[in-house]
Amino acid sequence: MELLPQWLAAANTHGFAAPPQTLPALLDAARGRTDLRPAALEFAGPRALWLARLNTDWRFALRSAPGGGTALPGADETERIQQLWQEGLFAERVSLLSAIRAREPAAARELLEKTWPTERAEDRLMFLDSLRTGLSAEDEPFLERALADRSRNVRATAAELLSALPDSALAARMAVRAGACVAVDHTNSAGHTDSTAAGKRGTSGWPSRAVEASHERDAGKERAGAAGEGGTKDRPALVVEAPHECDAGMERDGVVAKAPAGRGERSWWLGQLVEAAPLGSWSERLGGRTPEEIVALPVADDWRAELHAAWCRAAVRQRDADWSRALLGAPSTPEAGGPGAVSLAERAKLLATLDSTERAEWVAGFIATHGLSEAFQLLGVCAVPWAPPLGRAVVDALNIARDAGSYPWSFSGVMGLAERCLDPCEAGHLDGLLAVPDEGEDASPGAGSYWAEAFQRLVGTLRLRAAMAEELAPSGKEEEA
C-alpha cells in the first residue's frame, strides 16, 4: 500500500488505464487516503465518476473532479463559458475560473471582475485565491480594489497576493513601513546612527523611531529584561523600533491589528510589516549589504528572533532563494537552527524555495553533521528518488546508528522514508549491511539482529520498486521508481 502512490504515478506516466474490475478496490483505497485521489482518479478514468454517482461512499470522486465531473467548455466556447459562469454551481464556477486562469490569466480575471460586486464573501475569497496561478502585475489594479472589500478575509488574501508582487504599490508601502523600523547602528553612544536608517516618517503616519533607537537604549530598554547588543564602528548592529500603532492604512494593506493571545502588539505588527516588505529592498536600506551580511549582523535589544522569523516567512512567500540560503546558513554550522530559521518547519519551508539538487546537498550536509534525529521533516521536502549524495548520507547515518548499538525503532520513520525514496539502484550497495553485526559491550541486547532485519526489508523494498518500474516501463526499459 505504501508504494501505491509511486505505482500509480508510473502507470499514469506511461498511459495505462485501470481494468474495470479493479475500480471498486481502487476507489476504496482512495476514499481512505486523500493523497492517492488525484493519481487514482486519473488512472481510473471516467468510469470512476459513473460509479461515484451510484455509491455514496465514492462521492469524493465527484468533489475531486473538475466541476464535480461536469465537462468544462473549451477556450473557444464563449457562450458556454458565460452561461456556466452565470448559472453554474459554485464548484463548477471555481473549476471554470481555475481552468481559464491556467491558460489565459487575463481572461479569468476579467470574467471575475464582471460579477465581483454581486458575489458572496465566501465565494469572493475562493475566487480570489484562484488568482495565485499566473499572478502578475496586470492583476494589481483589481487586487488594490479588493483591499477595500467588506470581508476581512478577502482583504487579507488580496494583501498577501499583492505582497508577492515586489513591484506593487502595496509592496512599496510595506517596504517604507518596515524600513522605518530597522536601521544599522555603528555606535553604542546616543550620538550617531548609520545613514542607512530609514526616513523620519513612514507612510503609515507614525514617526520612524529606528533613527532614535540608540537614544532610547540609554533611557532604558523597552523590552523588560532584554540583554541589548549595540553596534560599534568595527561591528555594526541592527536596531529595531517596532510600530507604536496599527493605523487605518496598515489595516487596509492587510496588517491584522489584534495580536494573538500571549503575543505583544508591537512585535506582532513588526513581523507582519517585515514579512510583506520586498526582500530586495533591504540591501538598499541597509548600506548595500548582501542577504548573508544582513542576516549575520547582531540585532540589539533581543529583537533578533522576531526579525529573522519574519524574514524567513518573507523568503518563503516571495520564493527568494538568496535569502533562503542566507537564513538557512551552512548545514554544518554548530547551531542546527541556522542563522535565521528557528524551527524544523521553517527550515523545511526555506529549503523548498531551492532547486532540488541544492536542496538535497544541503540536507545531506545537515545529516552528516547533525545526524538523523532532526532530519525527518527536511527529508520530506526532497525530490524522489533522493539524489545520490543524500541517499549516501542517509545510509551512512543509519549505519552509524547501528554501530552505536541502539535499537532501530528510533529511526523507523527515516527507514520508512528510505524504503520509498532511496534510488532503487542503491540496493546493490547495501549488501554489506544485511548481516547481523557483532555486538559491542554497550550495545542494546539483540539490536544487531533488529538492524539486519530492517536493512533486509529496505533492500527488499528497493528491489520491488525496481521490478515495478521495469514492468511498467515501455519495452521493459527500467526507469526510476
Side-chain angles (χ1 to χ4, degrees):
M1 191 67 174
E2 291 301 318
L3 297 182
L4 186 54
Q6 292 187 30
W7 190 93
L8 287 171
N12 288 331
T13 297
H14 298 307
F16 288 101
Q21 65 271 22
T22 66
L23 290 178
L26 183 61
L27 289 170
D28 281 339
R31 179 166 65 99
R33 286 184 54 176
T34 57
D35 62 311
L36 283 179
R37 290 179 183 177
L41 293 177
E42 180 182 352
F43 185 56
R47 286 192 181 95
L49 302 180
W50 178 76
L51 288 172
R53 294 187 179 97
L54 303 176
N55 187 334
T56 56
D57 289 341
W58 299 332
R59 286 293 174 88
F60 70 86
L62 297 175
R63 294 191 296 270
S64 302
T70 301
L72 297 177
D76 57 343
E77 298 180 274
T78 306
E79 290 187 6
R80 280 198 63 205
I81 289 174
Q82 291 297 331
Q83 181 179 9
L84 186 59
W85 180 247
Q86 296 288 343
E87 303 174 7
L89 299 174
F90 175 67
E92 294 172 336
R93 299 179 73 212
V94 171
S95 297
L96 176 65
L97 188 66
S98 299
I100 297 175
R101 183 70 178 181
R103 65 178 182 243
E104 197 175 350
R109 184 186 64 252
E110 291 166 3
L111 187 68
L112 178 58
E113 285 183 286
K114 291 178 181 177
T115 60
W116 182 258
T118 62
E119 303 287 356
R120 298 183 305 167
E122 55 267 34
D123 293 352
R124 293 198 303 275
L125 181 62
M126 289 294 294
F127 292 145
L128 193 64
D129 197 63
S130 70
L131 298 188
R132 295 181 190 277
T133 301
L135 184 67
S136 71
E138 293 181 357
D139 299 315
E140 183 179 357
F142 173 67
L143 293 173
E144 274 285 343
R145 293 194 296 274
L147 290 175
D149 195 88
R150 302 183 301 275
S151 166
R152 182 181 66 182
N153 290 334
V154 171
R155 295 195 301 270
T157 300
E160 180 187 349
L161 293 173
L162 283 167
S163 69
L165 297 172
D167 297 324
S168 68
L170 179 139
R173 295 192 295 270
M174 288 300 198
V176 172
R177 291 172 180 135
C181 298
V182 183
V184 178
D185 177 27
H186 279 294
T187 176
N188 273 321
S189 69
H192 174 70
T193 300
D194 189 278
S195 60
T196 59
K200 292 184 178 180
R201 184 173 295 273
T203 59
S204 63
W206 40 267
S208 169
R209 300 291 297 235
V211 182
E212 307 163 13
S214 58
H215 298 268
E216 295 199 3
R217 283 201 306 278
D218 291 339
K221 293 185 172 54
E222 179 205 351
R223 295 165 69 91
E229 184 178 1
T232 66
K233 183 177 180 181
D234 296 328
R235 190 168 184 256
L238 294 178
V239 289
V240 175
E241 181 67 19
H244 287 263
E245 64 173 332
C246 180
D247 61 26
M250 290 167 63
E251 287 198 68
R252 180 182 182 275
D253 285 348
V255 177
V256 178
K258 185 175 181 180
R263 182 82 179 272
E265 282 187 332
R266 295 181 62 196
S267 65
W268 170 245
W269 298 333
L270 173 74
Q272 293 179 80
L273 295 181
V274 173
E275 178 181 355
L279 289 166
S281 67
W282 289 107
S283 178
E284 179 182 351
R285 290 176 179 275
L286 300 178
R289 291 173 171 85
T290 65
E292 288 80 6
E293 291 169 338
I294 293 172
V295 170
L297 289 171
V299 183
D301 296 344
D302 215 22
W303 282 103
R304 180 180 183 273
E306 191 75 48
L307 183 61
H308 284 201
W311 277 334
C312 285
R313 296 192 299 272
V316 173
R317 177 187 291 189
Q318 299 171 36
R319 310 297 296 174
D320 193 307
D322 290 336
W323 271 87
S324 292
R325 291 187 195 99
L327 292 161
L328 282 165
S332 58
T333 51
E335 194 174 337
V342 295
S343 70
L344 283 169
E346 274 187 332
R347 293 201 291 274
K349 291 176 182 177
L350 290 170
L351 283 168
T353 68
L354 308 180
D355 66 61
S356 59
T357 300
E358 185 177 2
R359 198 183 314 156
E361 290 175 351
W362 196 95
V363 176
F366 180 92
I367 291 172
T369 302
H370 304 290
L372 292 169
S373 59
E374 293 187 336
F376 185 80
Q377 250 183 311
L378 306 182
L379 287 168
V381 299
C382 293
V384 177
W386 289 336
L390 178 57
R392 287 193 294 270
V394 171
V395 172
D396 289 345
L398 289 171
N399 194 19
I400 290 171
R402 181 190 71 158
D403 291 344
S406 60
Y407 288 117
W409 305 315
S410 300
F411 304 95
S412 59
V414 173
M415 190 68 81
L417 270 181
E419 291 177 9
R420 300 189 297 274
C421 302
L422 262 180
D423 194 319
C425 70
E426 296 290 330
H429 302 154
L430 301 176
D431 288 340
L433 302 176
L434 303 183
V436 178
D438 296 332
E439 294 185 359
E441 294 182 359
D442 298 330
S444 302
S449 298
Y450 291 120
W451 274 107
E453 291 177 9
F455 279 118
Q456 289 165 12
R457 184 171 58 251
L458 171 59
V459 170
T461 303
L462 293 178
R463 288 177 175 154
L464 174 61
R465 287 173 54 206
M468 179 180 75
E470 184 177 3
E471 289 179 0
L472 289 172
S475 303
K477 182 179 178 182
E478 183 175 353
E479 296 185 0
E480 290 179 342

